[in-house]
Amino acid sequence: MNVLLAILLILAAISALGVVFSSQTIYSALSLVLTVGLLAVVFLVLNAQFLFVVQLIVYAGAVMVLFVFIIALLDPAAEDRPRFLDLRLILGVLAVAALCTAVFVAARNDVTYDTSCTTQAVTCMHGYTVGSLAATGDQAADPFHTFGFPENAVNRAGNVQTLANQLFHTYVLPFEITSLLLLVAAVGAVYLTRRVAVGPRRDPQAEQRWRDDLVEGAE
Amino acid sequence: MTLSQAMFPWLLLTAAFLFTLGALGVLIRRNPLVVFMCIELMLNAVNLALVGYSSYLNSEEGQVFAFMVIVVAAAEVVVGLGLLTRVFSIGRELDVDDLDELKQ
């Protein structure tokens, strides 16, 4: 399982490079399809079967088809002048690298899970303590600490059933707000793509010349 | 099967790498379609981290939140691509450096 997960993660990272550094837009889209599919398999390996199916249907099925359709419709040209060695690029890379390092270090070290709640930690809500408050003797040796949950307790009733229990009991209000969000997005998309006379045409003089040519051709 | 302790930092590192790549693409690419794809990449990286934590901590709440993130990403793509077709229909070039009317 570890080897499979490592191979999947490496492949996902390589195909994500293709998303950013492809010159043609359609290659970026196809690389993103590959990345999304690989991440779906990662979800499957991580025992999140429902998200595996949702990822395949929503991302690979709906979102990427929409992307490819828009690419075919708009036919964007390849970028002829990549912004290399630009000051903005250098600053952006530095800022993003710092952000990445900060996020990774924080995720690896600073958030711990204290199941016992018996330490002298000030904040001990729902077992979560943040920072070094929960770092006691034997826990400090293990950067991720040990967790007191039984093995694979999440999926005892099945992944879909467990998630449905969470979605429709604990998180029913965010779930309903999500439906409202989808409705607003659908209405907004229809409003944006409706067919109206939008502003001036691309070039009124060119259209006039085109009409004049038509008249001359008819004569 | 839950996530083993040896693989967990590598999964986090991959998620951070994908997020970084997405942010870099948003910064250096000029095609708004590719910018949208890079945003999708960032959202997928966050989903990977959420599902990894969910598997590692034996808690399903990360998967619930990843599901919400997928829904929000789908809505964002629909509205964004609608905006792009609208911009293209009034005869503009697809270049994020040229679309700066809101600055003026």
Side-chain angles (χ1 to χ4, degrees):
Chain A
M1 174 209 172
N2 281 353
V3 177
L4 176 64
L5 193 58
I7 292 172
L8 286 171
L9 290 177
I10 291 171
L11 285 179
I14 292 173
S15 59
L17 283 171
V19 177
V20 178
F21 296 109
S22 295
S23 60
Q24 297 280 343
T25 313
I26 187 71
Y27 293 160
S28 292
L30 293 179
S31 299
L32 188 55
V33 171
L34 186 61
T35 309
V36 163
L38 286 168
L39 287 183
V41 183
V42 170
F43 291 170
L44 188 61
V45 172
L46 293 181
N47 231 345
Q49 291 94 356
F50 178 67
L51 276 183
F52 161 71
V53 176
V54 166
Q55 175 100 348
L56 279 187
I57 292 176
V58 174
Y59 267 112
V63 170
M64 292 321 297
V65 166
L66 201 60
F67 264 115
V68 173
F69 181 73
I70 293 293
I71 289 170
L73 184 70
L74 302 187
D75 192 21
E79 293 186 16
D80 51 348
R81 48 178 183 96
R83 293 194 296 213
F84 286 131
L85 293 180
D86 194 351
L87 181 63
R88 282 184 298 177
L89 171 62
I90 296 169
L91 285 178
V93 169
L94 285 180
V96 161
L99 176 73
C100 170
T101 311
V103 167
F104 181 66
V105 168
R108 200 176 186 282
N109 289 327
D110 285 347
V111 178
T112 60
Y113 196 86
D114 185 13
T115 54
S116 63
C117 282
T118 56
T119 55
Q120 299 299 316
V122 182
T123 58
C124 195
M125 294 173 58
H126 307 297
Y128 285 103
T129 56
V130 178
S132 58
L133 288 174
T136 55
D138 54 341
Q139 282 183 337
D142 172 16
F144 295 107
H145 307 285
T146 50
F147 303 106
F149 293 109
E151 183 81 8
N152 205 9
V154 176
N155 293 325
R156 186 165 291 160
N159 183 254
V160 179
Q161 285 88 345
T162 312
L163 275 189
N165 190 36
Q166 286 284 320
L167 273 178
F168 293 109
H169 285 101
T170 314
Y171 297 104
V172 65
L173 186 61
F175 185 73
E176 296 299 331
I177 294 175
T178 299
S179 71
L180 192 66
L181 174 76
L182 282 178
L183 181 67
V184 170
V187 171
V190 170
Y191 173 78
L192 283 172
T193 54
R194 76 196 191 283
R195 183 170 293 278
V196 289
V198 278
R201 298 298 297 171
R202 298 185 183 182
D203 192 355
Q205 294 178 347
E207 286 201 345
Q208 191 59 44
R209 283 199 299 273
W210 182 67
R211 288 202 190 88
D212 292 341
D213 290 345
L214 274 186
V215 172
E216 285 179 9
E219 289 170 352
Chain B
M1 197 185 316
T2 52
L3 189 56
S4 70
Q5 205 154 27
M7 282 307 291
F8 184 55
W10 292 105
L11 189 135
L12 278 185
L13 190 62
T14 310
F17 178 70
L18 291 186
F19 189 87
T20 310
L21 266 183
L24 185 67
V26 169
L27 285 175
I28 70 172
R29 294 303 297 262
R30 290 179 294 109
N31 190 332
L33 279 167
V34 183
V35 171
F36 269 119
M37 287 181 214
C38 292
I39 294 174
E40 294 299 311
L41 195 61
M42 293 164 77
L43 289 169
N44 263 301
V46 173
N47 273 347
L48 178 64
L50 281 172
V51 176
Y53 267 114
S54 163
S55 176
Y56 188 69
L57 298 179
N58 259 324
S59 157
E60 71 272 25
E61 287 166 350
Q63 296 182 26
V64 173
F65 204 81
F67 178 68
M68 301 285 180
V69 171
I70 289 177
V71 172
V72 171
E76 171 245 335
V77 162
V78 167
V79 175
L81 291 182
L83 266 174
L84 278 189
T85 54
R86 184 63 178 273
V87 165
F88 192 76
S89 73
I90 54 178
R92 300 295 304 273
E93 283 289 317
L94 282 181
D95 192 330
V96 290
D97 285 344
D98 291 340
L99 300 174
D100 54 357
E101 282 88 359
L102 282 179
K103 283 201 299 189
Q104 295 155 8

